[in-house]
Amino acid sequence: MAEIRNYTMNFGPQHPAAHGVLRLVLEMDGEVVERADPHVGLLHRGTEKLAETKPFNQSIGYMDRLDYVSMMCNEHAYVMAIEKLLGIEVPRRAQYIRVMFDEITRILNHLMWLGTHGLDIGAMTMFLYCFREREDLMDCYEAVSGTRMHATYYRPGGVYRDLPGTMPQYEVSKWHKKKDVDRMNEARQGSLLDFIEDFTRRFPKMVDEYETLLTDNRIWKQRTVGIGVVSPERAQQLGFSGPMLRGSGVEWDIRKKQPYAVYDELFFDIPVGVTGDCYDRYLVRMEELRQSNHIIKQCVEWLRNNPGPVITQDHKVAPPKRLDMKGDMEALIHHFKLFTEGYCVPEGEVYASVEAPKGEFGVYLVSDGANKPYRVKMRAPGFAHISAMDEMVRGHMLADVVAVIGTMDIVFGEIDR
Amino acid sequence: MSKKAVSALCEKLVARFPDSQAVHSAQDQITLEVPAEQLIETCTALRDEKDFAFEQLVDVCGVDYSDYGNVDWTTERATGTGFSRGRDVVEEKTTAWEKPRFAVVYHLLSHSKNQRLRVRTFADSEFPKVDSVIDIWSSANWFEREAFDMFGIMFEGHPDLRRILTDYGFIGHPLRKDFPLSGHVEMRYDPDKKRVVYQPVSIAPRINTPRVIRHDNRYGGESLPEVKEEQQGS
């Protein structure tokens, strides 16, 4: 009798469907996966170590680079941890701005997920559609912070600046004719809030478009229904959070259950799956797109009617206005101290978590009273999800591994830190 | 968690675990300090008993306390006497930390009771060893691997305690406080050998912003320590 042995296969580190740098060692029996051993850490940058050597504010930028498709949500968890230890109040307008941008970020993230997940299992069009809408949201990021991705917009005590009154416009160039530019600039004539409102009006139709392409699509269903099923008990045991947990039917969303910022004043629903397979998680995320859109609408409405400060007036933590520094000695001193030394955070420890698009993103901060954190631990949702890879793909076909990686919404920035 | 829920859970914890070293809460978050030998017993109770029902282990985090409270500059004289530049570079560093060097911090979450708890256990510096909670919560698997990788804390009973985030063949535990920020080795492509080589780091460590602790009365800490009158010089 011929000798039969399992075949060990390397998936990645460089593989278009690995969503970054994932090396997956697969033990195969024919085309069936016997065991999966993900090797992560290829993108390890030592963010936690770096944060220990920098004043608190200088690490906000690192948070963007953790989960680099849900930038502002990471910042939110970090600044919330600092705020809790400092015991400072955040102005309400800043909280609404934060919630609005958290939800914009959620849409950004889910569009990225939908596009790449679609691309992975054979729906090329999704990728193009999703990136079309992402462009508009990136412009919102740019309008408010100057960068399209790594915003560093949230600061302890509020947000860096108020929403701008104008939107950046396209200009006529070699690639864009006057007619096209006029069309692209049509929604950009007013303020940022006008632009976002216009987006929220357009967006539900876009989600309908995505759903016509996928939800009842036979190929999509063949690739996702019954793949990577996780029972609610296992989902809890494995440390799942976010859509991965809700897809399995556990009704849990930090925005509802342990509301932070102003989520307790907003109306939205939490979609929950039934079977816990890839298709349910897809449906959950699609509904979250609509719900996020709904939240953004409410925030725009509130922000229009309630002007006010967007950052705390405590200048030990937040810098004074540039203009004040010209004539006020104390403002100048505050500014100087803040940017040379930072601020000292009282001794203690705190865990702050937000419902990031991928799940629970938490920051555990230990301070010994210095101007730098003593220890920062980022709890990345993706880390817990990918650790369940072995359990989820065991017994599935090789092609389903790609579907499972897609449904986990993996980004290596946060897993490897 | 609301203040009421926090105090209610605190009371239950004190009643249930009289041997635990401390139950305290700050910022509406509860910490339970457990002696290392009771960790498994306590965690099992925390998961299974209906008052606690912590179904999920959210995070496992190592902490190295060996540098706790150390600063690069002392700054007390500046606020105490007013006129000096107010900084003394600290040469000798001795930490005021009295508990064991390493801690493992577990963050627990109960979906059904909607409550959170932080459990901390300590491990000494010679050979840090803590029992693995992997049989209680499966999510501990990778989190413990990470704590092992970063701090060298051994988790007894873990089936597959390999390094996870650092390079293949990495030496040392990077998040320990005695591990330099720039590491020990760097990697480059050697055109002569036509392969990647490792060599000792060429970057000198430097501090951009010194670490300082300023006592701030606003946060209700202890008041400023007595400044010794210095006669010479001034």
Side-chain angles (χ1 to χ4, degrees):
Chain A
M1 206 174 120
E3 191 191 340
I4 301 172
R5 68 190 167 92
N6 283 350
Y7 198 78
T8 307
M9 209 178 81
N10 262 312
F11 181 100
Q14 292 291 335
H15 188 287
H19 288 207
V21 276
L22 165 70
R23 182 180 167 212
L24 200 55
V25 180
L26 297 169
E27 220 170 84
M28 310 288 297
D29 175 17
E31 213 185 327
V32 177
V33 180
E34 294 268 278
R35 199 175 75 92
D37 180 18
H39 288 211
V40 300
L42 288 107
L43 201 61
H44 179 62
R45 291 143 297 168
T47 306
E48 292 168 6
K49 184 90 175 170
L50 282 166
E52 286 172 13
T53 62
K54 291 186 162 46
F56 283 90
N57 269 13
Q58 289 184 20
S59 300
I60 301 172
Y62 282 121
M63 299 300 138
D64 294 315
R65 286 153 181 82
L66 287 171
D67 180 354
Y68 45 74
V69 289
S70 45
M71 295 70 71
M72 290 207 197
C73 290
N74 308 342
E75 286 175 27
H76 201 165
Y78 181 66
V79 296
M80 252 168 50
I82 298 172
E83 282 157 5
K84 275 189 187 172
L85 271 183
L86 283 168
I88 48 175
E89 283 289 316
V90 182
R92 302 230 329 134
R93 187 174 168 83
Q95 305 226 12
Y96 267 95
I97 293 177
R98 281 183 185 180
V99 166
M100 185 173 78
F101 270 94
D102 275 7
E103 295 308 318
I104 286 179
T105 308
R106 195 176 314 277
I107 294 181
L108 268 173
N109 178 80
H110 282 5
L111 287 178
M112 178 80 176
W113 159 80
L114 184 64
T116 50
H117 189 32
L119 191 63
D120 284 351
I121 50 181
M124 177 84 197
T125 323
M126 289 315 301
F127 190 71
L128 302 173
Y129 274 18
C130 290
F131 273 65
R132 185 186 58 191
E133 272 73 74
R134 267 172 68 85
E135 199 59 33
D136 283 346
L137 295 173
M138 289 285 196
D139 288 343
C140 298
Y141 261 52
E142 188 177 351
V144 87
S145 73
T147 53
R148 286 160 55 81
M149 289 187 82
H150 303 307
T152 328
Y153 178 54
Y154 295 2
R155 302 291 160 93
V159 293
Y160 172 62
R161 54 176 279 199
D162 206 344
L163 303 170
T166 53
M167 279 296 286
Q169 317 248 324
Y170 284 101
E171 283 171 11
V172 181
S173 70
K174 246 188 336 195
W175 300 277
H176 289 138
K177 295 206 180 62
K178 177 81 171 66
K179 210 178 84 194
D180 297 333
V181 167
D182 286 346
R183 178 180 50 79
M184 288 191 291
N185 283 341
E186 209 175 304
R188 291 158 202 269
Q189 298 307 317
S191 67
L192 173 67
L193 280 176
D194 295 335
F195 182 73
I196 295 176
E197 194 173 11
D198 178 61
F199 179 84
T200 56
R201 274 201 297 270
R202 281 183 286 137
F203 190 60
K205 276 204 202 79
M206 312 283 192
V207 182
D208 292 342
E209 261 180 53
Y210 310 147
E211 292 223 69
T212 27
L213 280 175
L214 293 179
T215 305
D216 290 325
N217 181 322
R218 202 172 39 170
I219 305 173
W220 182 258
K221 279 183 145 175
Q222 276 171 358
R223 293 301 304 272
T224 53
V225 174
I227 303 295
V229 179
V230 185
S231 70
E233 294 76 30
R234 283 311 291 164
Q236 289 179 329
Q237 266 280 317
L238 291 164
F240 282 13
S241 50
M244 294 290 286
L245 186 66
R246 292 193 285 276
S248 292
V250 181
E251 192 198 333
W252 179 263
D253 189 311
I254 304 174
R255 291 176 295 170
K256 273 275 191 232
K257 303 285 178 170
Q258 299 173 350
Y260 53 96
V262 287
Y263 276 113
D264 46 353
E265 296 168 19
L266 298 166
F267 297 99
F268 59 102
D269 293 325
I270 301 301
V272 176
V274 180
T275 48
D277 57 1
C278 292
Y279 188 67
D280 270 21
R281 289 185 283 267
Y282 155 76
L283 292 176
V284 165
R285 288 193 174 104
M286 291 309 269
E287 183 54 30
E288 280 187 15
L289 283 175
R290 297 181 194 277
Q291 293 298 330
S292 291
N293 196 53
H294 189 49
I295 298 175
I296 294 172
K297 264 188 195 160
Q298 298 170 48
C299 290
V300 169
E301 175 77 27
W302 193 93
L303 286 167
R304 274 196 202 287
N305 301 327
N306 295 277
V310 294
I311 194 158
T312 174
Q313 297 302 303
D314 180 358
H315 295 313
K316 300 277 187 238
V317 179
K321 281 210 178 68
R322 205 77 212 173
L323 198 65
D324 294 346
M325 281 162 51
K326 307 292 180 198
D328 183 4
M329 184 69 177
E330 200 168 342
L332 193 65
I333 296 171
H334 274 136
H335 181 272
F336 177 74
K337 290 303 280 184
L338 206 52
F339 283 90
T340 51
E341 187 181 284
Y343 45 85
C344 291
V345 168
E347 193 175 350
E349 57 185 342
V350 76
Y351 177 79
S353 57
V354 297
E355 182 75 25
K358 293 182 170 63
E360 175 173 344
F361 185 91
V363 170
Y364 173 53
L365 190 70
V366 181
S367 170
D368 58 351
N371 57 342
K372 303 173 182 181
Y374 185 75
R375 168 96 170 97
V376 192
K377 159 88 197 211
M378 274 77 75
R379 189 272 176 195
F383 191 78
H385 295 159
I386 197 178
S387 71
M389 176 70 91
D390 182 38
E391 192 174 320
M392 281 178 79
V393 300
R394 202 170 278 202
H396 278 304
M397 300 283 212
L398 176 60
D400 298 331
V401 174
V402 175
V404 169
I405 293 175
T407 194
M408 282 179 179
D409 197 3
I410 282 169
V411 157
F412 279 91
E414 58 163 8
I415 291 169
D416 294 347
R417 278 157 289 155
Chain B
M1 284 169 76
S2 67
K3 286 220 154 35
K4 222 172 115 191
V6 168
S7 57
L9 181 59
C10 266
E11 277 169 26
K12 279 178 194 160
L13 287 166
V14 173
R16 176 64 182 79
F17 305 109
D19 294 344
S20 67
Q21 282 149 348
V23 180
H24 46 85
S25 64
Q27 275 90 27
D28 288 342
Q29 298 183 353
I30 311 169
T31 312
L32 177 73
E33 269 182 27
V34 180
E37 59 274 11
Q38 290 172 12
L39 181 70
I40 296 299
E41 192 191 322
T42 310
C43 285
T44 314
L46 285 173
R47 183 193 62 179
D48 293 337
E49 287 175 20
K50 69 171 180 14
D51 275 349
F52 308 120
F54 290 103
E55 304 105 355
Q56 195 169 48
L57 174 67
V58 175
D59 186 32
V60 178
C61 166
V63 186
D64 174 6
Y65 279 107
S66 63
D67 205 26
Y68 195 81
N70 272 344
V71 290
D72 298 319
W73 288 357
T74 54
T75 54
E76 294 305 355
R77 275 201 318 171
T79 37
T81 59
F83 292 108
S84 81
R85 285 287 291 144
R87 69 172 189 84
D88 291 316
V89 177
V90 180
E91 302 287 349
E92 290 273 309
K93 289 194 177 179
T94 47
T95 175
W97 188 255
E98 283 161 357
K99 292 179 183 168
R101 176 177 173 186
F102 292 104
V104 182
V105 182
Y106 303 85
H107 284 97
L108 310 183
L109 169 65
S110 167
H111 291 136
S112 52
K113 307 274 287 183
N114 194 4
Q115 57 194 10
R116 287 178 188 271
L117 177 68
R118 184 184 300 128
V119 175
R120 182 176 18 223
T121 187
F122 285 102
D124 63 359
S125 85
E126 284 297 304
F127 186 71
K129 194 178 74 174
V130 173
D131 286 333
S132 172
V133 295
I134 193 167
D135 293 330
I136 306 172
W137 296 288
S138 308
S139 58
N141 186 350
W142 275 32
F143 286 123
E144 288 183 344
R145 274 178 70 186
E146 187 196 338
F148 162 70
D149 192 1
M150 293 294 152
F151 292 95
I153 299 168
M154 306 297 289
F155 290 90
E156 205 162 28
H158 193 291
D160 186 24
L161 202 61
R162 279 177 296 155
R163 283 184 180 275
I164 184 164
L165 290 179
T166 50
D167 200 356
Y168 302 112
F170 189 87
I171 299 166
H173 299 287
L175 276 178
R176 287 189 176 187
K177 289 287 177 179
D178 48 13
F179 192 93
L181 179 66
S182 45
H184 293 299
V185 288
E186 64 186 24
M187 195 173 78
R188 70 178 172 87
Y189 178 75
D190 189 326
D192 299 331
K193 290 180 184 153
K194 293 208 158 63
R195 65 179 173 87
V196 168
V197 294
Y198 287 89
Q199 61 189 35
V201 276
S202 52
I203 319 163
R206 61 167 188 176
I207 298 167
N208 283 335
T209 313
R211 184 183 192 90
V212 295
I213 295 181
R214 293 189 187 274
H215 292 278
D216 195 327
N217 292 329
R218 287 175 304 161
Y219 303 132
E222 72 267 49
S223 56
L224 204 65
E226 280 298 307
V227 178
K228 285 201 199 83
E229 285 297 324
E230 286 183 38
Q231 293 301 313
Q232 81 282 34
S234 55

